[in-house]
Amino acid sequence: MALIAEHHILQFTKTVELLLQQRQSRLMGKTGSGNYTGDAAQVVLQYGALEMTANTNWTDNTPITNADHQQRWVLPTDKELGLFVTKEDEIRMLADPKSPYADIVRAAYARTVDATIVAAAFADAKTGPYNAMVNTAFPAAQMIGGATATNGLTVDKLNQAREMLDAAEVEDFDTRYIVCTAQQISNLLDDQKVTSADFNTVKALVNGEVNQYLGFEFVRYENLPLATKTRSCIAYAKSGLHFGTWNGLDIRVDQRPDKKYVWQIYGKCTVGATRTQEKKVIKINCLER
């Protein structure tokens, strides 16, 4: 494939832009993660809490307690995207790593990563031995705001989520995130419980100047579950969600002899995600108009 002059490339790229869309992953790096092979991956082996007993006789046999342990799995799902390129100028642009076609595939992958993580937050998680996995449902006790929300994101809801994570003994070093839409961030400005001392912080949060408030790092994501004006936001500790990939994103550019030698861009990935522990993930339902 012949390349065209550099000035032609620059002129072409200045006249092309992607339609408004999320182009970067918002959640990549904000969960546990791993690179896997095979049909499934055990992401964590969990042990329950044990308690010591009183030693009343030093000559007694050593007391043995069986530790309760569970396995949590992530299962792979294949995703793909293909598109044809037929115009001569556009075909030549494929040689440019800044080609908008490459951006289309990378942006689609970024959204796939986020959608996979968000779906796993409240979905059934696979628990137990590989040959006898069972579904672990998201517990109703981990929900704030009721099934049908009557108000938006408030300071009370944030404090309740913080208290729930603290009460579950989530470690301080386990970064806490809240994933919400732009409307929920704006809701905080209207909350009467935002004190004058907090107002400037919340205003900076709305303006995108800071991303932390009340112990949470805010992540804006517009495609959270929405049902009957109730938006399900996610508050979680980083180790509470896990994202797995099977060799990342693979992009290929090939000529298709079966399609009259048209050029094709093809991208594929294999990804999966899961909750690791129910008490590390909280659903905050918010009214969204």
Side-chain angles (χ1 to χ4, degrees), residues 108-121:
Y109 176 67
R111 293 191 298 273
T112 296
V113 170
D114 290 353
T116 301
I117 294 171
V118 167

Side-chain angles (χ1 to χ4, degrees), residues 155-172:
V155 172
D156 281 347
K157 289 180 179 179
L158 289 176
N159 273 325
Q160 187 177 347
R162 175 196 55 78
E163 181 179 342
M164 289 172 65
L165 293 175
D166 286 345
E169 300 291 354
V170 174
E171 293 85 356
D172 292 339

Side-chain angles (χ1 to χ4, degrees), residues 9-176:
I9 291 175
L10 293 176
Q11 181 181 6
F12 184 85
T13 56
K14 286 180 180 179
T15 62
V16 176
E17 67 177 7
L18 300 188
L19 294 175
L20 286 174
Q21 58 187 273
Q22 179 191 329
R23 299 177 63 175
Q24 301 293 328
S25 172
R26 307 279 167 77
L27 297 175
M28 180 71 80
K30 294 180 172 63
T31 68
S33 62
N35 196 350
Y36 303 110
T37 60
D39 295 332
Q42 178 184 297
V43 300
V44 64
L45 181 60
Q46 302 164 335
Y47 290 90
L50 299 178
E51 301 296 336
M52 303 184 90
T53 58
N55 183 355
T56 58
N57 189 335
W58 286 99
T59 62
D60 283 348
N61 293 331
T62 302
I64 301 299
T65 302
N66 291 325
D68 177 34
H69 66 276
Q70 296 183 355
Q71 298 161 290
R72 191 58 60 98
W73 298 84
V74 61
L75 304 181
T77 300
D78 298 323
K79 303 284 187 177
E80 62 181 353
L81 169 67
L83 63 154
F84 290 146
V85 183
T86 57
K87 295 181 181 178
E88 184 177 353
D89 280 348
E90 295 175 356
I91 290 172
R92 291 169 179 166
M93 277 300 303
L94 296 180
D96 182 6
K98 297 180 181 179
S99 164
Y101 289 105
D103 283 344
I104 289 173
V105 179
R106 285 191 289 263
Y109 176 67
R111 293 191 298 273
T112 296
V113 170
D114 290 353
T116 301
I117 294 171
V118 167
F122 307 134
D124 289 348
K126 299 296 183 181
T127 306
Y130 177 71
N131 293 325
M133 295 181 193
V134 297
N135 290 330
T136 300
F138 184 81
Q142 292 299 111
M143 184 172 66
I144 295 172
T148 302
T150 58
N151 59 354
L153 185 61
T154 64
V155 172
D156 281 347
K157 289 180 179 179
L158 289 176
N159 273 325
Q160 187 177 347
R162 175 196 55 78
E163 181 179 342
M164 289 172 65
L165 293 175
D166 286 345
E169 300 291 354
V170 174
E171 293 85 356
D172 292 339
F173 59 79
D174 203 351
T175 307
R176 299 176 181 188

Side-chain angles (χ1 to χ4, degrees), residues 97-282:
K98 297 180 181 179
S99 164
Y101 289 105
D103 283 344
I104 289 173
V105 179
R106 285 191 289 263
Y109 176 67
R111 293 191 298 273
T112 296
V113 170
D114 290 353
T116 301
I117 294 171
V118 167
F122 307 134
D124 289 348
K126 299 296 183 181
T127 306
Y130 177 71
N131 293 325
M133 295 181 193
V134 297
N135 290 330
T136 300
F138 184 81
Q142 292 299 111
M143 184 172 66
I144 295 172
T148 302
T150 58
N151 59 354
L153 185 61
T154 64
V155 172
D156 281 347
K157 289 180 179 179
L158 289 176
N159 273 325
Q160 187 177 347
R162 175 196 55 78
E163 181 179 342
M164 289 172 65
L165 293 175
D166 286 345
E169 300 291 354
V170 174
E171 293 85 356
D172 292 339
F173 59 79
D174 203 351
T175 307
R176 299 176 181 188
Y177 298 96
I178 179 163
V179 186
C180 59
T181 70
Q183 186 172 133
Q184 280 85 57
I185 297 175
S186 296
N187 288 158
L188 289 173
L189 276 181
D190 299 327
D191 188 349
Q192 295 180 353
K193 291 193 175 182
V194 173
T195 65
S196 57
D198 287 336
F199 183 81
N200 288 335
T201 300
V202 174
K203 187 175 181 180
L205 182 71
V206 172
N207 293 335
E209 298 166 6
V210 299
N211 67 345
Q212 293 187 338
Y213 182 58
L214 292 181
F216 291 96
E217 180 175 323
F218 279 66
V219 180
R220 186 182 61 78
Y221 180 70
E222 300 300 321
N223 292 313
L224 290 166
L226 177 65
T228 318
K229 296 184 179 180
T230 295
R231 182 76 72 173
S232 295
C233 302
I234 311 169
Y236 71 100
K238 181 176 181 178
S239 65
L241 293 174
H242 187 94
F243 173 76
T245 180
W246 279 249
N247 295 323
L249 174 63
D250 182 16
I251 301 179
R252 298 177 181 272
V253 180
D254 299 295
Q255 216 168 1
R256 290 281 302 273
D258 61 323
K259 298 292 183 182
K260 299 182 180 180
Y261 292 91
V262 69
W263 283 90
Q264 174 186 276
I265 299 177
Y266 178 74
K268 66 177 181 178
C269 64
T270 303
V271 295
T274 188
R275 259 185 341 273
T276 62
Q277 294 191 49
E278 278 58 59
K279 289 189 176 182
K280 290 186 176 182
V281 181
I282 300 168

